[in-house]
Amino acid sequence: MIKFEIKHICQQTGARLGILHTEHGSFETPIFMPVGTQATVKMLENSEIEEVSDGLILGNTYHLWLQPGSEIVKKHGGIRGFSKWNGALLTDSGGFQVFSLSNSRKITEEGVEFCHHKSGEKLFMSPEDSIKIQENLAADIIMSFDECPPFHADDEYMKKSVERTIRWAKRGKDVLTTDQALFGIVQGGPNKELRKYCAQELEKIGFPGYSIGGLSVGESKEEMYQMLEYLKDVLPSDKPRYLMGVGTPEDLIIGSIFKVDMFDCVHATRIARHGQALTSIGKVNIKNKKFEEDLSPLDSACDCKVCKTYTKSYLRHLFKAEEVLGQRLISYHNLYFLKNLMKQIREAIKNDSLRTFKEDFFTKYKQ
């Protein structure tokens, strides 16, 4: 199981500085978790992941269930033994991936019928299946199987979806046989009353943490921030709060102000593979011709080994030459940038100055 302590509340914003204790490490929060979809963070090996993370990363239930299969991972002792990762782990439920296959799925009370995203093979996942798979993957923190409806679904559908998510959360908890920390997931789209209802019903069931689902799925930033601001006083105050699939620099700062403790997102590594770097002045496309003869570092304010070693000119050359090293180096830098950003956020919370930090950051950072 896990233990969560709140150590300080920022006087400027109400943001929380906490410590999340797991069997495989303790972590200051707010924390960003790199995504290791296939039991690896894309482009990086374990020693590099240790350098660009705080030691807690995410694995993907859906993808590992399909390849190589959770039973094979279980034979290795879970993801840690399979990938030789020594840190802590969180796994999602597979729900988001299943529900993103909107053209090939059928939702029933028992679970979801859908087709393999590559082969077209017919598959089925229930709340119980999701928990069993996550038990095999052996992460410290696991997620309830939920329905992730379209953000702007009509109220009638959203109400049925939320009720189903609550029932599925209880079914998942009822079959859990390990001491893994199972989080409930709060859904409800833009409907504040449904979000509140979902949170209250999940709290009645009782979970050691609560996730905020169904955001960053096509709604505007303003809509997402409005919901986060609303939920900051709705979710249980003594439990960790995890905002799923959100992780741009601006979202990490604003999410922290709205009392979110945990974040994950593929954004940083996905854009890195296309040559986009996160820097202290905003996003940089290293493939731009203006960097062809630029002998300066990628980000003069960053002390990662990429910025201390290579020039923009060299990094641009790697992408133009289609050398995979370029993707690796920018992936490393982007995750290091987010790790350092979270450290700065935590320091600002300690110093009761997170709003000031936000204003200073956005003065320089161009989205």
Side-chain angles (χ1 to χ4, degrees):
M1 287 296 288
I2 61 168
K3 179 183 177 183
F4 182 63
E5 302 176 77
I6 298 174
K7 306 300 288 186
H8 185 74
I9 302 294
C10 175
Q11 296 304 301
Q12 270 193 347
T13 63
R16 302 137 56 99
L17 179 76
I19 300 180
L20 179 68
H21 300 281
T22 77
E23 184 181 348
H24 296 93
S26 295
F27 311 95
E28 278 198 326
T29 61
I31 186 173
F32 175 78
M33 302 174 289
V35 177
T37 301
Q38 303 275 14
T40 176
V41 176
K42 287 188 187 301
M43 297 288 165
L44 305 181
E45 54 108 9
N46 284 343
S47 64
E48 295 171 317
I49 299 169
E50 290 172 4
E51 294 168 4
V52 299
S53 75
D54 285 308
L56 174 59
I57 66 173
L58 181 141
N60 187 275
T61 292
Y62 170 80
H63 288 288
L64 291 172
W65 174 50
L66 297 182
Q67 171 59 45
S70 69
E71 293 293 339
I72 290 176
V73 177
K74 180 182 179 181
K75 289 178 180 178
H76 289 80
I79 294 175
R80 253 179 300 272
F82 187 50
S83 66
K84 304 306 178 187
W85 169 248
N86 293 320
L89 283 162
L90 178 150
T91 48
D92 60 13
S93 68
F96 178 79
Q97 284 74 27
V98 168
F99 289 102
S100 67
L101 303 171
S102 57
N103 294 327
S104 63
R105 60 166 166 76
K106 178 183 177 183
I107 304 170
T108 67
E109 186 60 26
E110 284 306 303
V112 186
E113 299 174 6
F114 59 100
C115 295
H116 192 293
H117 64 286
K118 290 184 178 179
S119 69
E121 175 189 0
K122 288 188 177 181
L123 301 167
F124 177 82
M125 184 178 285
S126 69
E128 293 82 2
D129 293 331
S130 175
I131 295 299
K132 177 61 177 177
I133 294 164
Q134 292 183 84
E135 287 182 341
N136 289 345
L137 300 179
D140 302 85
I141 301 170
I142 65 177
M143 295 297 120
S144 299
F145 190 65
D146 64 320
E147 180 182 352
C148 185
F151 188 80
H152 292 295
D154 63 71
D155 285 346
E156 182 181 358
Y157 183 87
M158 194 68 76
K159 178 74 163 64
K160 292 178 180 178
S161 174
V162 164
E163 293 282 11
R164 185 182 296 116
T165 282
I166 294 165
R167 291 192 296 271
W168 283 359
K170 185 176 187 309
R171 282 169 54 185
K173 183 180 179 182
D174 287 346
V175 299
L176 181 66
T177 62
T178 68
D179 62 357
Q180 292 165 288
L182 174 64
F183 281 26
I185 302 180
V186 177
Q187 292 285 0
N191 188 313
K192 292 179 179 178
E193 288 307 309
L194 279 179
R195 288 277 185 176
K196 184 177 182 179
Y197 172 74
C198 189
Q200 290 174 336
E201 292 302 305
L202 291 174
E203 189 174 5
K204 289 177 186 177
I205 298 170
F207 295 93
Y210 295 85
S211 300
I212 303 169
L215 292 180
S216 193
V217 292
E219 79 282 7
S220 68
K221 291 276 191 182
E222 182 181 358
E223 288 173 312
M224 179 172 74
Y225 295 156
Q226 286 175 350
M227 183 51 65
L228 291 177
E229 184 174 19
Y230 173 74
L231 288 174
K232 70 183 175 64
D233 297 320
V234 170
L235 297 172
S237 61
D238 60 337
K239 300 290 171 58
R241 302 166 176 194
Y242 165 32
L243 177 55
M244 307 178 75
V246 174
T248 64
E250 61 272 19
D251 293 345
L252 294 175
I253 295 171
I254 294 171
S256 295
I257 288 174
F258 292 145
K259 302 184 181 181
V260 173
D261 307 298
M262 304 163 66
F263 303 84
D264 84 282
C265 194
V266 299
H267 175 75
T269 48
R270 178 174 288 163
I271 65 171
R273 296 194 295 276
H274 297 282
Q276 290 192 333
L278 301 172
T279 78
S280 55
I281 61 170
K283 264 194 254 182
V284 168
N285 187 341
I286 201 62
K287 293 187 288 186
N288 285 348
K289 185 171 177 56
K290 67 180 180 179
F291 299 124
E292 186 174 20
E293 298 182 40
D294 191 331
L295 304 188
S296 66
L298 182 59
D299 186 355
S300 60
C302 179
D303 65 351
C304 80
K305 63 186 182 183
V306 175
C307 292
K308 290 194 294 186
T309 306
Y310 303 107
T311 66
K312 292 191 187 85
S313 176
Y314 179 67
L315 293 169
R316 178 182 186 274
H317 156 70
L318 292 176
F319 276 90
K320 299 306 288 186
E322 299 183 351
E323 288 287 346
V324 73
L325 178 61
Q327 298 180 46
R328 280 176 36 77
L329 293 177
I330 302 297
S331 293
Y332 180 100
H333 163 80
N334 281 359
L335 289 176
Y336 187 96
F337 179 88
L338 294 184
K339 175 184 177 180
N340 189 54
L341 176 61
M342 298 312 296
K343 180 180 178 182
Q344 292 173 312
I345 289 171
R346 292 192 295 268
E347 284 299 315
I349 295 173
K350 289 178 188 177
N351 296 327
D352 298 314
S353 61
L354 185 54
R355 182 176 296 113
T356 303
F357 172 80
K358 181 193 93 167
E359 292 168 355
D360 291 345
F361 181 87
F362 285 117
T363 298
K364 303 171 187 175
Y365 189 84
K366 307 303 177 188
Q367 299 180 37

